[in-house]
Amino acid sequence: MRPEQPARNRSLELAPARNFDKSPAMTQAFKTFGVIGGGAWGTAIAQMLCRDGQDVTLWCLEAEVADAINTVHENTVFLSGVPLKPALRATTNLADLYNLDALFAVAPAQHTRSTLAALKGHIAPGTPVVLCSKGIELSSGKFMTQVLADALPEASPAVMSGPSFAIDVAKGLPTAVTLAVEDESIGSELIQAISTPTFRPYLATDLLGAEIGGAVKNVLALACGIALGKGLGRSAHAALIARGSAEMTRLALALGADRETMSGLSGLGDLVLTCSSETSRNMSCGLALGRGESLESIMGARNAVTEGVATAPVLRRLASEHGVDMPICDAVAAVIEGEISVDDAITTLLMRPNKAESVLA
């Protein structure tokens, strides 16, 4: 079944907000922000939003995380060593996010539905909810925009995705992302509110494409990590990124997203970053798998979610339902589900028949 699409589904990458007209007639509508999820990425987004004239509340599941942010101004569990702005307020009470101007949903993909559902009836119709989790819901096979439509149908959906490590954003290092919105007027106002000289969001309307890029790149990062962990070399690594990009584009086209999105920040940009650094949790997980560690031991030693592990099996099912050939992602899913070994997965990929190079091949 084809996912529901917004009425318009075209790429619209524009100049960042600091290049927009800032005449007095263009007022900033958003002053109060809530961020759902006190992990590294949620904390980084809250830090980025926290500035003069804007109130930011960060909801954390763990009381010790909220206490540390409020008292020592540091997320000592998920983003240690990064000083946070004293004005940033953390809470463990979702009611503190009621009736704010805009929300950023950064809970892990498999927990997004429950956190959003807890806000039902407590946000004004049309409130922007910016989805920042990168994954597909395992139980339903739905992307986060579809989960939002189920849980908070009164919200105005947006997706923020692109090459961005939490620690870079929290430290104020230069970062560019895609902000895909259904309502362009809301998107323009949001960009006015969240952009800084070092955090540059680009406006787009292809929400599904941005979501596909964010979900698939995590699975491909597992594959790239496995290859490097097995000592297959940088040539194999580069080939996996290139052919993985083709797989991602095939799926996007089959589901009705735009090809251009896959070559933008939320597609190729995020893919290259996530597949090229051990800072990526998915890449580092793949490296450990390639070096012979078990998935159970890897995940047991982590305090943060590795989204690609949950996404790989549901991505394989989604691709199969739509007749999309995704051999790299299929192999990763088979490894994650214990169907084949890492060595067998590599052999399977190397034995595939030669084809003409094409996104469609």
Side-chain angles (χ1 to χ4, degrees), residues 176-200:
V177 298
T178 294
L179 181 68
V181 295
E182 190 171 81
D183 185 323
E184 290 178 44
S185 63
I186 288 178
S188 295
E189 291 178 346
L190 266 176
I191 284 182
Q192 286 288 333
I194 72 176
S195 66
T196 72
T198 57
F199 187 81
R200 298 171 59 86

Side-chain angles (χ1 to χ4, degrees), residues 92-358:
T92 57
N93 186 0
L94 271 172
D96 290 333
L97 304 186
Y98 292 174
N99 299 314
L100 299 182
D101 292 337
L103 299 173
F104 286 72
V106 202
Q110 306 312 317
H111 301 285
T112 292
R113 182 181 294 273
S114 60
T115 55
L116 291 177
L119 296 171
K120 187 171 178 61
H122 299 291
I123 68 169
T127 298
V129 175
V130 184
L131 299 159
C132 305
S133 303
K134 299 175 179 180
I136 307 171
E137 191 174 50
L138 188 59
S139 60
S140 68
K142 291 184 175 182
F143 288 96
M144 296 299 101
T145 50
Q146 295 170 295
V147 172
L148 174 63
D150 291 343
L152 289 176
E154 66 271 33
S156 179
V159 174
M160 191 169 77
S161 187
S164 49
F165 283 147
I167 193 165
D168 293 344
V169 173
K171 289 181 175 180
L173 298 177
T175 306
V177 298
T178 294
L179 181 68
V181 295
E182 190 171 81
D183 185 323
E184 290 178 44
S185 63
I186 288 178
S188 295
E189 291 178 346
L190 266 176
I191 284 182
Q192 286 288 333
I194 72 176
S195 66
T196 72
T198 57
F199 187 81
R200 298 171 59 86
Y202 286 77
L203 187 63
T205 56
D206 184 11
L207 283 78
L208 178 60
E211 289 191 280
I212 291 170
V216 177
K217 60 94 180 181
N218 285 331
V219 179
L220 295 171
L222 289 168
C224 287
I226 289 171
L228 291 179
K230 287 295 293 183
L232 300 185
R234 288 291 175 178
S235 298
H237 174 238
L240 282 170
I241 292 176
R243 294 313 301 163
S245 177
E247 291 190 15
M248 187 166 66
T249 302
R250 284 199 294 269
L251 180 66
L253 294 177
L255 296 182
D258 294 337
R259 181 188 293 266
E260 291 82 1
T261 304
M262 297 301 103
S263 60
L265 291 166
S266 59
L268 181 61
D270 210 1
L271 176 66
V272 170
L273 179 69
T274 309
C275 291
S276 302
S277 173
E278 289 189 50
T279 302
S280 159
R281 292 190 294 269
N282 295 283
M283 175 78 169
S284 62
C285 178
L287 282 165
L289 285 170
R291 291 167 181 157
E293 297 181 39
S294 70
L295 182 62
E296 292 73 20
S297 65
I298 297 166
M299 301 305 290
R302 298 187 165 206
N303 66 358
V305 174
T306 303
E307 291 279 21
V309 172
T311 300
V314 66
L315 178 61
R316 177 166 63 165
R317 293 200 301 270
L318 183 66
S320 176
E321 290 169 3
H322 291 271
V324 179
D325 188 29
M326 302 183 74
I328 300 171
C329 295
D330 286 349
V332 172
V335 169
I336 293 300
E337 297 200 301
E339 298 170 6
I340 58 175
S341 67
V342 165
D343 288 338
D344 287 342
I346 292 170
T347 299
T348 298
L349 288 174
L350 292 176
M351 293 300 291
R352 283 176 56 83
N354 294 329
K355 296 182 178 179
E357 184 177 24
S358 169

Side-chain angles (χ1 to χ4, degrees), residues 14-64:
L14 302 177
R18 70 190 191 114
N19 292 330
F20 287 179
D21 174 23
K22 291 191 175 181
S23 63
M26 191 173 199
T27 59
Q28 181 174 310
F30 301 106
K31 299 290 187 180
T32 59
F33 294 88
V35 180
I36 307 168
W41 188 216
T43 303
I45 291 173
Q47 169 94 324
M48 175 271 295
L49 290 170
C50 196
R51 65 196 71 162
D52 289 343
Q54 294 181 178
D55 294 326
V56 182
T57 302
L58 173 64
W59 177 80
C60 308
L61 178 65
E62 303 86 355
E64 64 270 26

